[in-house]
């Protein structure tokens, strides 16, 4: 199930999908999330940067495949993160790489889904983040698969969102974004469909 963010094209004009690693890598995910009180409720946000706004297309002719990422908020604490390849991947020849987490604060998005989560759901989400697959696989487990799984742990019934691209296919931000735009919202949830940047991290110091 694919997705990520990157671009490229070949000399003969064919689309070349290249997903590069995060611009700001999170070196220690435990430290990044340590400020959250796992005995308290929180807010989960799923962000989708679609390759083409308001379109299910899995990629653009310039090779952009978009990005899916999340944020957790609790009081004055916010952490924005995404699942990335550590260096880069491309569908046909090298679709896998060691995974990395990216600090995706201020990353652009086209659509988002915001929901309230219980302390138990927060515990499950943080536990899942600490145990995600170590291998980023563009076609089988990528940024969109990560967002879908985290959303499910937060009570969002998000489906697999398959689409194809040259050399492969899988879950992708274009299809997921379109699903979220039209889905029936659960209680205590809302969506935003006006494109803008995600908010910055807050509450960077804690005991």
């Amino acid at each position: 199930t694919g997705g990520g963010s990157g671009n490229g094209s070949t000399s003969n004009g064919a689309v070349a999908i290249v997903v590069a690693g995060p611009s700001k890598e999170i070196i220690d995910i435990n430290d990044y999330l340590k400020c959250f009180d796992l005995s308290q409720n929180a807010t989960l946000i799923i962000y989708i940067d679609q390759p083409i706004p308001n379109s299910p297309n899995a990629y653009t002719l310039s090779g952009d495949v978009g990005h899916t990422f999340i944020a957790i908020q609790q009081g004055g604490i916010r952490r924005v993160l995404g699942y990335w390849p550590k260096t880069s991947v491309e569908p046909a020849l090298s679709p896998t790489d060691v995974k990395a987490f990216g600090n995706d604060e201020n990353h652009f998005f086209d659509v988002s889904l915001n929901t309230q989560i219980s302390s138990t759901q927060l515990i499950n989400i943080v536990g899942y983040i600490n145990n995600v697959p170590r291998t980023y696989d563009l076609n089988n487990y990528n940024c969109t698969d990560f967002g879908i799984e985290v959303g499910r742990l937060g009570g969002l019934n998000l489906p697999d969102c398959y689409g194809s691209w040259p050399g492969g296919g899988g879950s992708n931000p274009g299809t997921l974004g379109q699903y979220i735009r039209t889905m029936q919202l659960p209680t205590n949830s809302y969506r935003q469909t006006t494109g803008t940047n995600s908010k910055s991290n807050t509450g960077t110091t804690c005991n």
Side-chain angles (χ1 to χ4, degrees):
T1 26
S5 137
N7 56 72
S9 60
T10 63
S11 57
N12 65 6
V15 176
I17 306 293
V18 178
V19 180
S23 57
K24 293 171 63 178
E25 184 178 354
I26 299 168
I27 302 303
D28 185 340
I29 192 64
N30 284 302
D31 185 67
Y32 194 72
L33 300 175
K34 70 179 182 181
C35 290
F36 293 115
D37 181 349
L38 300 185
S39 70
Q40 301 296 318
N41 299 344
T43 299
L44 172 67
I45 306 171
I46 310 294
Y47 291 109
I48 302 95
D49 171 12
Q50 295 179 287
I52 301 173
N54 199 19
S55 166
N57 288 23
Y59 66 97
T60 68
L61 294 180
S62 65
D64 181 11
V65 293
H67 186 47
T68 300
F69 57 107
I70 72 164
I72 300 172
Q73 297 178 182
Q74 186 183 67
I77 302 164
R78 180 188 304 113
R79 295 291 182 271
V80 188
L81 68 141
Y83 180 85
W84 294 80
K86 190 170 182 66
T87 54
S88 67
V89 294
E90 64 92 4
L93 299 178
S94 56
T96 65
D97 189 15
V98 175
K99 64 88 173 164
F101 287 109
N103 174 353
D104 289 334
E105 63 178 344
N106 304 313
H107 192 297
F108 183 82
F109 69 94
D110 295 289
V111 57
S112 65
L113 179 57
N114 179 311
T115 193
Q116 301 304 303
I117 57 174
S118 68
S119 59
T120 300
Q121 289 171 324
L122 178 60
I123 290 170
N124 291 338
I125 288 169
V126 170
Y128 180 76
I129 291 171
N130 279 287
N131 290 281
V132 293
R134 295 183 179 183
T135 300
Y136 180 104
D137 187 327
L138 185 60
N139 299 307
N140 292 295
Y141 190 91
N142 58 60
C143 67
T144 301
D145 294 290
F146 171 75
I148 288 170
E149 291 300 327
V150 169
R152 288 172 177 171
L153 291 171
L156 299 171
N157 186 25
L158 300 176
D160 289 330
C161 291
Y162 186 86
S164 62
W165 44 79
S171 289
N172 65 91
T175 306
L176 178 60
Q178 286 309 100
Y179 177 82
I180 288 176
R181 285 176 187 271
T182 59
M183 68 181 282
Q184 182 173 349
L185 294 178
T187 304
N188 296 322
S189 300
Y190 67 89
R191 66 182 147 231
Q192 179 176 330
T193 56
T194 303
T196 187
N197 289 344
S198 65
K199 294 181 179 179
S200 300
N201 289 333
T202 56
T204 53
T205 58
C206 59
N207 296 325

